[in-house]
Amino acid sequence: MSEPFRKQTIRDIDVHPGRRLLVRVDFNVPLKNGGVADDSRIRAALPTIRSLRERGGALVLCSHLGRPKAPDPATSLAPVSARLADLIGAPVQQAPAVVGDEVSAMAQALEPGNVLVLENTRWEAGETKNDPQLSDQLAALGDGFVGDAFGSAHRAHASTVGAAERMHVAVAGLLLEREVSVLEGLLEDPARPLVVVLGGAKVSDKIALIDRFLDMADALLIGGAMAFSFFRAEGHATGNSLVEEEGVELARKALARAERERRRPVTAESANCRILLPLDIVAGDRFAEAADRRELDGVDVPEGWMGLDIGRQTVEAFSRELEGAGTVFWNGPMGAFEMEPFAAGTRGVAEAVADAPGTTVVGGGDSGAALHEFGLADRVDHLSTGGGASLELLEGKRLPGVEVLDDA
Ligand code: ADP
Ligand code: MG
């Protein structure tokens, strides 16, 4: 299901020994007690880093981490550099800043195979403004650009776009290539039926995706807090469930569209997407691990209760859809899975996704975290490293961090 990739990659360029490459990676990882709490994103960048080092490249790696507005030791890339050194079994130098004389001198001194990690790009105010001066300074650190930060490719920042524009060679890394190929393949010609599972908190964030999949998918399974906007639109009681007011109108429109399509004969252009909502709900009397918990028979949530998970009948119904899927895309947990009493629905659906016979693709930070927590991350075909970026790509938007790269 992979589409031919439209951009040049590191396979297309000559990396002669000592060629200095500025590589934008996605090292935006969670930190804990001065170390890296989850290194999946660092591991995801290894194929590119290894390939370039094996060919003698001298690497200047850069990334943002968190959302600092100024230099702050709490968001230093130093713990990431230490973990990277362990993973590649070679020294990694940590620069003291993003740019500046000292950083330039360190970059100049790199030998073939050496790795230098710049400080957190968001320590520079110019980063998120795609500032020309910062872009110039970054571009001067290498004589070629490699974009491998898929998770940041939807942002036109100095390190993702400005620097790349200024370099005579700008190509994709292997992670970015794989992410874009898999996600675009999902849209191009998916093996059918295409079953899409959407959950999480906000309909308004994901309505463009719902619309898009109503055009393309065969079934759209909706869980998570998002389901309650649909239930409100249908006139069900929602109690204290998280209902997003502007989401209700969007949900109503989506339901009306699915209903219209259901009555239309199937054609090559219309997949006649069905929307499946939960059949039963698990409620709590508050949003807390220790909440009183009730398995509701149906979806009407009583006064004083809030829906926090999908029930067993729903897991069964969703699993049946997934069993026959040719392609699965899942984004957004089915409930407040961070709290064990309300995790069963997400776990059940995650297992069904993992067991699904077709190609399985998962996008979204929390959905990915859920898969890791349930030990199922290795059982899907593709777990995207980019939450927002994967959604924007599937919505049909062009990602600036991809567009800026040289065409194949
Ligand atoms: P993703 O990061 O995978 O795109 P989202 O960020 O949209 O997912 O949503 C994840 C959040 O939604 C989780 O923190 C989860 O607790 C919350 N959530 C899911 N279902 C419910 C619910 N019924 N009530 C309240 N919060 C929910
Ligand atoms: Mg999230």
Side-chain angles (χ1 to χ4, degrees), residues 101-374:
D101 292 343
E102 203 179 339
V103 178
S104 300
M106 287 175 89
Q108 292 287 350
L110 291 174
E111 307 266 344
N114 285 176
V115 180
L116 170 68
V117 175
L118 304 184
E119 259 309 353
N120 192 332
T121 51
R122 295 236 184 145
W123 285 9
E124 290 289 328
E127 163 72 336
T128 56
K129 298 182 189 117
N130 194 10
D131 174 66
Q133 198 191 333
L134 176 61
S135 300
D136 284 341
Q137 287 176 293
L138 285 169
L141 295 174
D143 73 296
F145 180 90
V146 177
D148 208 24
F150 179 70
S152 306
H154 57 317
R155 309 252 183 256
H157 291 174
S159 68
T160 57
V161 169
E165 278 170 346
R166 286 164 171 76
M167 299 179 87
H168 62 284
V169 170
V171 299
L174 302 175
L175 172 66
L176 186 126
E177 178 193 27
R178 177 168 155 74
E179 291 269 16
V180 174
S181 303
V182 171
L183 293 167
E184 285 184 345
L186 204 64
L187 300 176
E188 287 300 327
D189 188 19
R192 297 205 174 263
L194 168 59
V195 179
V196 174
V197 189
L198 287 184
K202 284 186 147 186
V203 180
S204 53
D205 276 1
K206 298 187 183 175
I207 189 66
L209 206 59
I210 294 177
D211 257 336
R212 181 94 167 158
F213 282 126
L214 280 174
D215 282 333
M216 296 180 30
D218 298 283
L220 187 50
L221 320 183
I222 296 198
M226 187 192 279
F228 296 98
S229 294
F230 284 82
F231 286 142
R232 174 79 62 82
E234 287 190 325
H236 287 287
T238 51
N240 295 334
S241 306
L242 191 64
V243 176
E244 194 196 359
E245 282 311 327
E246 63 167 316
V248 178
E249 193 43 43
L250 299 171
R252 185 173 292 128
K253 286 189 182 138
L255 287 168
R257 234 194 102 190
E259 179 58 24
R260 276 198 308 277
E261 290 201 6
R262 202 177 60 76
R263 296 207 217 102
R264 213 171 46 202
V266 185
T267 66
E269 295 82 54
S270 86
N272 266 7
C273 185
R274 291 169 294 131
I275 293 186
L276 278 77
L277 295 175
L279 305 167
D280 56 347
I281 291 297
V282 178
D285 65 345
R286 62 206 147 103
F287 191 91
E289 182 102 33
D292 271 341
R293 178 180 182 280
R294 243 167 94 177
E295 297 185 9
L296 305 178
D297 184 20
V299 299
D300 285 292
V301 180
E303 210 53 51
W305 291 78
M306 62 198 307
L308 290 174
D309 196 11
I310 57 173
R312 293 168 208 232
Q313 290 179 53
T314 309
V315 171
E316 262 175 50
F318 284 10
S319 301
R320 268 198 302 279
E321 289 288 331
L322 290 163
E323 265 166 32
T327 309
V328 176
F329 176 71
W330 175 34
N331 170 279
M334 296 290 100
F337 75 100
E338 300 92 338
M339 304 185 283
E340 185 50 36
F342 306 103
T346 303
R347 185 181 288 118
V349 166
E351 280 166 359
V353 169
D355 288 340
T359 304
T360 49
V361 180
V362 179
D366 292 289
S367 330
L371 270 186
H372 278 291
E373 193 180 312
F374 304 143

